[in-house]
Amino acid sequence: MNNSRRALVLDAARSVFERLGNEGASIREIARQAGYTPGAIYSYFDNKEAIYGALLAESLERLNAVVDAAGDATMQPAELLDAKASAWFGFYAANPRDLDLGFYLVQGMRSRELTAELNEQLNDRLHDALQPCEAALRAMGLNAEDALRENTSLFAHGVGLLLLQHTGRIHMFGQDAVILFDAYLISLVERLYRDASPA
Amino acid sequence: MNNSRRALVLDAARSVFERLGNEGASIREIARQAGYTPGAIYSYFDNKEAIYGALLAESLERLNAVVDAAGDATMQPAELLDAKASAWFGFYAANPRDLDLGFYLVQGMRSRELTAELNEQLNDRLHDALQPCEAALRAMGLNAEDALRENTSLFAHGVGLLLLQHTGRIHMFGQDAVILFDAYLISLVERLYRDASPA
Amino acid sequence: MNNSRRALVLDAARSVFERLGNEGASIREIARQAGYTPGAIYSYFDNKEAIYGALLAESLERLNAVVDAAGDATMQPAELLDAKASAWFGFYAANPRDLDLGFYLVQGMRSRELTAELNEQLNDRLHDALQPCEAALRAMGLNAEDALRENTSLFAHGVGLLLLQHTGRIHMFGQDAVILFDAYLISLVERLYRDASPA
Amino acid sequence: MNNSRRALVLDAARSVFERLGNEGASIREIARQAGYTPGAIYSYFDNKEAIYGALLAESLERLNAVVDAAGDATMQPAELLDAKASAWFGFYAANPRDLDLGFYLVQGMRSRELTAELNEQLNDRLHDALQPCEAALRAMGLNAEDALRENTSLFAHGVGLLLLQHTGRIHMFGQDAVILFDAYLISLVERLYRDASPA
DNA sequence: AATGAATGAGCCTTCATTCAT
DNA sequence: CATGAATGAAGGCTCATTCAT
């Protein structure tokens, strides 16, 4: 199974997903885009879902790469939190197509259902990308439970902002997602400091 | 255009939508449920999108009814903020299908093409539902700009939590959306008080 | 659901089954033959299998009509046996297309599998067509068990001959199915008489 | 054309055919089973039909081997008839897949188009397997014509029973194919004896 | 207003076969 | 001899929509 040609199909798939969304992306269309007949696609992927899975997996790898590269060892925990959180948020803010992919994972794929195995594997990679924030929160003195809670809230806040931004709803409010996310981070850090050092 | 029969079709659509979800809801099925043949549906709605639009409009009416009924005139601004915010959040937390409806328009993070007119009308009603929170924020002393910003953040936070909850992702974190939303509200109010009264 | 048009589709299906056999008979082809597009077929039948079921059901009705009309009340049991058996055998010998249909029931449909309900119903009609022979055997003095056994053998013999005839294999032997079937019947009656009256 | 590798492909074909039946057996699957890619199969066989032809030819060889091994020189003609007939009948009763193979050529009661040459060759081998019964009948005193007629009837009877058994229809009658075949043989021998020695 | 029939485009997938390498 | 890639045709089926009646 020639890997470069598989990649070619995957590129076509990505572009079709971009252009037509998850529902509009058909095997026919992907094949057309790749310059193949539909049957040829099945040399590279077992079925439509596998294509989506591969696309998402690859997106999550890029996300993790960005998160891993963010910050450095010399940083204070609060700085690191900011760096790591801004990394994942920034990745999706800058790459709406990856957001699309991620959203299918989170929203649309309930019915079609990825194989349980793939689903778990993808969940794990998402988890990986969020883990550094949780570690930074712990380094700031939070216990495991609190760190998890704050990290979940942080993730939810980012997700909400990304959704509002990507759908243009945020303009309705005359706001900017990045600024609001930064503000949330600042408030969070302040609150944690205050809670940590009650005179 | 007999209005009571149109309502009958809409009821059928809602029930089908509840039963089969966004993708499973077909004109055929809606017609069957309504006791009509597919063609008859087109006497009442121009096309499938229009049915969704009507459904969503009606959902937003119910949302506004819930928000309007929340709180009362005797409340302190902070209490009112809590009441109003909990109203819209609770509405969607308790009625996942209404959330689906809302997300339908946003499917794949890409806004669906409704007629500009309908779109604006729907936006306005969503705005209406969020307005009371903004008013409460102003009553707490925030200027217009700050109130808008905080309200947007609040909305984004809720949306993010609802999405994580609705897709089951929040269980991945072992958290509960309602609790996290309450916590956000508490933090918010605390912060506003502190900012308002710097000793 | 206009019944005459349903019949038109069924006619087309019959002709396609005749022409192309069970495996070659596709919905597309049936539609083409009927002057319809494929989707239209589904207004009249739930799926491909239902078409086959309807075709077979109708064939079995004709078979039963022929068997019912055979013989008369004045006949001796042995004469009646001959009349009834010759009726079902003759029906299939003269209508190879009905034999085709029946054979799909008996041979080809294992995988596709008609719905259990339909299958049972069709089995019952086949049973009906064979029942008169069994009744005649009983009237000739056989007990229930023996009558059933002899009727089964008679059926098997006829089926074997029909298969050899229809596939042309019987020419390989220079024989004729009808003659051999008659010979079997004569032998059978002789044997039963002898067994019944062992001087 | 390496013959041992061709045999390897044929083995794979047989095993796939056994596992998945007539309709489920694809070139892809046969290749997979043989450890080849689909294209490689065409080095050994012109097309799919040719594989079936080879499979059937080989099946007929096994049938003939079984028939040849049945009975022995010391037997009375009647015993030999029983032995030889039970041999071919027993072979198919015990090896339903070989029966499938035989029926494959006859699918839908319509002879498949093999090359005339192959078809004739297969017919000859089938003939070979039935010949010993005919010889035994002659040894019992029948003239050529009668022996051929009885042998044809015997074959038809067996074929009918095998078909009813293989498709499960015989259970509908609560009967057993082997018992009925034996009964037929006994009746046949009795009849021949009686016809031969009319007191 | 409603029906019933039909369309046409589309869906995912399978498969025997071909052919350059 | 064998591969790997690809084709092209077909398969059953679904669906929003149209339109004469």
Side-chain angles (χ1 to χ4, degrees):
Chain A
M1 212 183 305
N2 186 315
N3 229 313
S4 86
R5 281 208 258 235
R6 187 189 141 108
L8 190 148
V9 171
L10 215 47
D11 283 345
R14 187 162 31 241
S15 119
V16 169
F17 267 78
E18 277 168 26
R19 192 154 38 84
L20 302 175
N22 190 31
E23 296 189 31
S26 68
I27 292 279
R28 270 169 165 73
E29 190 57 35
I30 291 170
R32 203 171 305 157
Q33 175 85 26
Y36 285 125
T37 49
I41 304 300
Y42 290 84
S43 303
Y44 301 103
F45 297 94
D46 281 349
N47 49 45
K48 200 188 165 184
E49 186 190 297
I51 298 179
Y52 167 71
L55 235 35
L56 182 49
E58 188 219 46
S59 166
L60 287 169
E61 291 315 306
R62 277 182 284 119
L63 169 65
N64 273 277
V66 165
V67 170
D68 286 347
D72 65 68
T74 70
M75 284 180 170
Q76 300 294 319
E79 278 180 297
L80 197 60
L81 173 65
D82 188 282
K84 295 297 191 182
S86 296
W88 69 251
F89 183 85
F91 174 79
Y92 280 120
N95 300 287
R97 287 140 187 188
D98 291 278
L99 192 58
D100 276 337
L101 283 174
F103 258 83
Y104 299 140
L105 174 62
V106 133
Q107 190 210 352
M109 274 287 155
R110 245 166 321 148
S111 56
R112 230 153 294 220
E113 276 187 28
L114 303 167
T115 55
E117 187 192 14
L118 178 57
N119 195 36
E120 198 172 341
Q121 176 192 325
L122 297 176
N123 266 344
D124 285 351
R125 290 306 275 152
L126 176 57
H127 220 240
D128 289 345
L130 300 178
Q131 208 45 47
C133 288
E134 201 165 325
L137 287 164
R138 296 224 51 188
M140 290 172 75
L142 271 65
N143 62 33
E145 190 185 336
D146 290 348
L148 176 57
R149 187 167 27 78
E150 288 298 347
N151 199 29
T152 307
S153 280
L154 176 57
F155 181 51
H157 201 84
V159 162
L161 286 170
L162 288 166
L163 194 147
L164 292 193
Q165 156 141 310
H166 191 39
T167 60
R169 249 60 180 182
I170 208 159
H171 299 317
M172 197 169 107
F173 300 92
Q175 305 291 318
D176 178 274
V178 177
I179 292 175
L180 292 185
F181 191 69
D182 282 345
Y184 182 86
L185 278 172
I186 290 169
S187 287
L188 170 58
V189 170
E190 270 181 16
R191 174 158 53 81
L192 295 183
Y193 278 152
R194 194 165 39 245
D195 289 354
S197 59
Chain B
M1 213 184 309
N2 185 316
N3 229 313
S4 85
R5 284 203 267 226
R6 187 187 141 108
L8 192 148
V9 171
L10 213 49
D11 282 347
R14 184 167 35 251
S15 127
V16 167
F17 181 77
E18 266 168 36
R19 192 154 37 85
L20 301 175
N22 249 325
E23 304 200 9
S26 67
I27 291 275
R28 270 170 161 68
E29 191 57 36
I30 291 170
R32 198 172 309 156
Q33 175 87 23
Y36 285 123
T37 48
I41 303 301
Y42 290 84
S43 302
Y44 300 105
F45 296 94
D46 281 350
N47 51 42
K48 209 185 166 191
E49 290 289 298
I51 298 180
Y52 274 105
L55 234 35
L56 180 50
E58 188 222 43
S59 166
L60 287 169
E61 292 314 308
R62 277 182 283 120
L63 169 66
N64 273 278
V66 165
V67 170
D68 287 347
D72 65 68
T74 71
M75 284 181 171
Q76 300 294 321
E79 279 180 297
L80 198 59
L81 173 65
D82 188 282
K84 295 296 192 184
S86 296
W88 69 253
F89 183 85
F91 174 78
Y92 281 119
N95 300 287
R97 287 306 187 185
D98 290 278
L99 195 59
D100 276 335
L101 235 22
F103 281 144
Y104 176 77
L105 292 176
V106 159
Q107 206 141 24
M109 300 300 277
R110 209 178 314 272
S111 276
R112 228 164 253 270
E113 299 185 26
L114 298 177
T115 55
E117 185 192 14
L118 177 58
N119 195 38
E120 199 171 340
Q121 174 195 326
L122 296 176
N123 267 344
D124 285 351
R125 290 306 275 153
L126 176 57
H127 219 240
D128 289 345
L130 300 178
Q131 209 44 50
C133 287
E134 201 164 325
L137 287 164
R138 296 227 46 190
M140 290 173 75
L142 270 65
N143 62 34
E145 189 185 337
D146 289 348
L148 177 57
R149 187 167 26 78
E150 289 297 347
N151 199 30
T152 308
S153 280
L154 176 58
F155 181 50
H157 201 84
V159 163
L161 287 170
L162 287 167
L163 195 144
L164 291 193
Q165 157 140 308
H166 187 43
T167 59
R169 249 60 183 184
I170 209 158
H171 298 317
M172 199 167 105
F173 300 93
Q175 304 293 319
D176 178 274
V178 176
I179 291 175
L180 292 185
F181 192 69
D182 283 346
Y184 182 85
L185 279 172
I186 289 169
S187 288
L188 170 59
V189 169
E190 270 181 18
R191 174 159 51 82
L192 295 183
Y193 277 152
R194 193 164 39 247
D195 289 355
S197 59
Chain C
M1 210 183 308
N2 185 315
N3 229 315
S4 85
R5 282 208 259 236
R6 188 188 140 107
L8 191 149
V9 171
L10 214 48
D11 282 345
R14 189 164 26 243
S15 117
V16 169
F17 267 78
E18 277 168 26
R19 193 154 38 84
L20 303 174
N22 189 33
E23 295 189 33
S26 69
I27 291 281
R28 271 168 164 76
E29 189 58 34
I30 291 170
R32 204 171 305 156
Q33 174 86 24
Y36 285 126
T37 49
I41 304 301
Y42 290 86
S43 303
Y44 301 102
F45 296 94
D46 280 349
N47 50 45
K48 200 190 165 185
E49 187 191 298
I51 298 179
Y52 167 70
L55 236 35
L56 180 49
E58 189 220 43
S59 165
L60 287 170
E61 291 316 307
R62 275 183 283 121
L63 168 65
N64 274 278
V66 166
V67 169
D68 287 347
D72 64 69
T74 71
M75 283 181 171
Q76 300 294 321
E79 280 180 296
L80 198 60
L81 173 65
D82 189 282
K84 294 296 191 185
S86 295
W88 70 251
F89 184 84
F91 175 79
Y92 281 121
N95 300 287
R97 288 140 187 189
D98 290 279
L99 191 58
D100 276 338
L101 283 173
F103 258 82
Y104 301 139
L105 173 62
V106 132
Q107 191 209 354
M109 274 287 154
R110 244 166 322 149
S111 56
R112 234 155 290 223
E113 276 186 27
L114 303 167
T115 55
E117 187 193 12
L118 178 57
N119 194 37
E120 200 172 339
Q121 178 193 325
L122 296 176
N123 267 342
D124 285 351
R125 289 307 274 153
L126 176 57
H127 221 240
D128 289 345
L130 300 178
Q131 209 44 48
C133 288
E134 202 165 326
L137 287 164
R138 296 225 49 189
M140 290 174 75
L142 271 65
N143 63 32
E145 191 184 335
D146 289 348
L148 177 56
R149 187 166 27 78
E150 288 299 346
N151 199 30
T152 307
S153 281
L154 176 57
F155 182 50
H157 201 84
V159 162
L161 286 170
L162 288 166
L163 194 147
L164 292 193
Q165 157 141 308
H166 191 39
T167 61
R169 248 61 180 180
I170 208 159
H171 299 317
M172 197 168 106
F173 300 92
Q175 306 291 321
D176 179 272
V178 177
I179 292 175
L180 292 185
F181 191 68
D182 283 345
Y184 182 86
L185 278 171
I186 289 170
S187 290
L188 170 58
V189 169
E190 271 180 18
R191 173 159 52 82
L192 295 183
Y193 278 151
R194 193 165 39 245
D195 289 356
S197 58
Chain D
M1 211 183 310
N2 184 317
N3 229 313
S4 85
R5 283 204 267 227
R6 188 188 140 107
L8 192 148
V9 171
L10 212 50
D11 282 346
R14 184 166 35 250
S15 126
V16 167
F17 181 77
E18 267 168 36
R19 193 154 36 85
L20 302 175
N22 249 323
E23 304 201 8
S26 67
I27 291 275
R28 270 168 159 71
E29 192 56 35
I30 291 169
R32 201 173 306 154
Q33 175 87 22
Y36 285 123
T37 48
I41 303 301
Y42 290 85
S43 303
Y44 300 105
F45 295 93
D46 281 350
N47 52 43
K48 210 186 165 190
E49 289 289 299
I51 298 180
Y52 275 104
L55 234 35
L56 181 50
E58 189 223 42
S59 166
L60 286 169
E61 292 314 307
R62 277 182 283 120
L63 169 65
N64 273 278
V66 164
V67 170
D68 286 347
D72 63 67
T74 71
M75 284 181 169
Q76 299 293 321
E79 278 180 296
L80 198 61
L81 173 65
D82 188 283
K84 294 296 190 183
S86 295
W88 70 251
F89 183 85
F91 174 78
Y92 282 119
N95 299 288
R97 286 309 187 182
D98 289 277
L99 196 60
D100 276 335
L101 234 23
F103 282 144
Y104 175 78
L105 291 176
V106 161
Q107 207 140 23
M109 299 301 279
R110 209 179 311 274
S111 276
R112 227 164 254 271
E113 301 185 25
L114 297 179
T115 56
E117 185 192 14
L118 177 58
N119 194 37
E120 197 171 341
Q121 175 193 327
L122 296 176
N123 268 344
D124 286 351
R125 290 306 275 152
L126 177 58
H127 219 241
D128 289 346
L130 300 177
Q131 209 45 49
C133 287
E134 201 165 325
L137 286 165
R138 297 224 49 189
M140 290 174 76
L142 272 65
N143 62 33
E145 191 185 335
D146 289 349
L148 176 57
R149 187 169 25 79
E150 288 298 346
N151 199 29
T152 307
S153 279
L154 176 58
F155 181 50
H157 201 84
V159 163
L161 286 170
L162 287 167
L163 195 143
L164 291 194
Q165 157 141 305
H166 187 43
T167 60
R169 249 59 183 184
I170 207 159
H171 299 316
M172 201 167 106
F173 299 92
Q175 305 293 318
D176 179 272
V178 176
I179 292 176
L180 292 185
F181 191 69
D182 283 346
Y184 182 86
L185 279 172
I186 290 170
S187 288
L188 170 58
V189 169
E190 271 181 17
R191 173 158 53 81
L192 295 183
Y193 278 152
R194 193 165 38 244
D195 289 354
S197 59

